[in-house]
Amino acid sequence: MLAFLSSLPGAAAQGIIWGIMAIGVYITYRVLDFADLTVDGSLGTGGAVFAMCTLGGMNIYVSIFIAFLAGCIAGLATGIFHTAFGIPPILAGILTQLALYSVNLDIMGQSNQALNSSKYSFLVNLLDAKKSIIVGLIFVAIIIAVLYWFFGTELGHSIRATGNNQNMARANGINTNVNKVVALVISNGIVALSGALLAQFQGFSDINMGRGAIVIGLAAVIIGEVIFGKIFKNFALKLIAAVIGGVIYYIVITLVIALGLPANDLKLFSALVVALFLGVPYWKNKVVRKKVKKEEGAANA
């Protein structure tokens, strides 16, 4: 138990970094209603681009920004596959994700690149969890503030309208294809930014670092909604809930590891966690419907 408690700051820091990725997932999954699987590739792209820029002597902040732009390009590719070629959302994301595996390998020149934290002044670091938490929260605050402003603009409202009812949005003269592309660009840019922070935090960028990222992102979003859905109604608060969901997810993962779960079973456990939280709203609605039917039956009798 002492080992678990001592690892909590590191789990919280990592949860915040993945929570930033969950914000990107939230934009496509909830706002746009687009099942985007590009995430598994664009997270790795952010890490790969950051690593190579940093190793090439670039400033840390410039490297992070370039990683963000690389993620935006990945989202643009998915958007073009979907809107210009008429490829379904899931397949468009899979195609981009598949292509990014080779792209990320070409960027790094090998399967992984080590990043020496003693040589570079990284913003987040596994060895300094307290600083990583503070920096992570600053990034979260800035991202949420920018997104809250953006989705209050005319373009932001049109993206929301596209996600709510695409046919109605199109009938009102909204270019839904442009909105989809813009949302995918923003989403994957944020995911890649998270990848850049993750590469700093763990001290390396790996070709497989994004594998299963969509599951973690969905877990964070769903956990946040299940726990805070009734009290967090504001858009900014919903994004905060996704970040908190990421922290909770990693604390649970840390607890499970401390209890002796084999590391090989972590992906299985992650899938079960997502399935469990996805099922909670369904079970709640089922219970409510049964209760309503029982009350109606009693009233009729």
Side-chain angles (χ1 to χ4, degrees):
M1 185 56 69
L2 288 176
F4 167 68
L5 293 176
S6 64
S7 63
L8 278 180
Q14 192 167 3
I16 291 171
I17 293 172
W18 282 96
I20 293 173
M21 185 271 295
I23 292 176
V25 172
Y26 185 91
I27 292 173
T28 51
Y29 181 61
R30 284 304 188 205
V31 177
L32 189 62
D33 192 25
F34 188 104
D36 182 28
L37 299 184
T38 313
V39 172
D40 283 20
S42 57
L43 184 89
T45 300
V49 171
F50 172 82
M52 298 313 295
C53 288
T54 302
L55 292 173
M58 286 190 183
N59 177 273
I60 296 296
Y61 295 99
V62 175
S63 299
I64 291 174
F65 181 68
I66 294 176
F68 169 79
L69 293 180
C72 291
I73 294 172
L76 177 63
T78 300
I80 291 174
F81 281 147
H82 175 60
T83 59
F85 292 88
I87 300 173
I90 292 179
L91 186 54
I94 291 174
L95 288 173
T96 307
Q97 176 196 131
L98 182 65
L100 286 176
Y101 185 89
S102 295
V103 170
N104 296 343
L105 198 55
D106 288 337
I107 290 172
M108 292 192 293
Q110 56 191 54
S111 60
N112 57 69
Q113 286 286 352
L115 295 168
N116 191 339
S117 58
S118 62
K119 185 178 179 181
Y120 304 100
S121 300
F122 290 144
L123 300 180
V124 291
N125 192 324
L126 181 60
L127 300 177
D128 193 347
K130 186 178 293 185
K131 176 190 173 184
S132 298
I133 290 173
I134 295 172
V135 172
L137 290 175
I138 291 173
F139 269 93
V140 167
I142 293 173
I143 292 170
I144 291 178
V146 172
L147 289 177
Y148 185 76
W149 166 81
F150 174 76
F151 281 101
T153 63
E154 184 177 348
L155 177 58
H157 280 298
S158 67
I159 292 174
R160 287 190 184 191
T162 299
N164 287 332
N165 192 324
Q166 186 176 160
N167 293 329
M168 184 63 72
R170 195 180 294 114
N172 282 279
I174 296 174
N175 192 327
T176 55
N177 283 341
V178 169
N179 289 338
K180 289 178 181 179
V181 172
V182 171
L184 285 165
V185 166
I186 295 172
S187 170
N188 284 283
I190 294 173
V191 170
L193 188 152
S194 172
L197 292 175
L198 182 61
Q200 296 177 59
F201 183 78
Q202 62 189 15
F204 65 90
S205 174
D206 186 84
I207 192 68
N208 292 314
M209 65 185 287
R211 182 170 294 178
I214 186 63
V215 176
I216 298 174
L218 287 174
V221 171
I222 299 302
I223 290 171
E225 288 180 342
V226 169
I227 297 177
F228 304 104
K230 289 188 176 181
I231 56 177
F232 283 9
K233 301 295 184 181
N234 181 276
F235 177 70
L237 292 178
K238 290 179 180 179
L239 296 180
I240 292 174
V243 176
I244 296 175
V247 174
I248 293 173
Y249 172 84
Y250 262 95
I251 288 176
V252 171
I253 290 293
T254 303
L255 175 61
V256 169
I257 292 175
L259 293 175
L261 178 75
N264 291 339
D265 295 334
L266 280 180
K267 296 294 184 184
L268 172 62
F269 179 76
S270 299
L272 292 176
V273 168
V274 175
L276 176 64
F277 278 94
L278 280 172
V280 168
Y282 172 76
W283 294 330
K284 281 184 177 180
N285 291 333
K286 203 169 183 179
V287 171
V288 170
R289 283 197 297 268
K290 282 186 178 180
K291 187 176 180 181
V292 170
K293 283 184 179 180
K294 189 179 290 186
E295 290 176 353
E296 288 178 349
N300 293 330

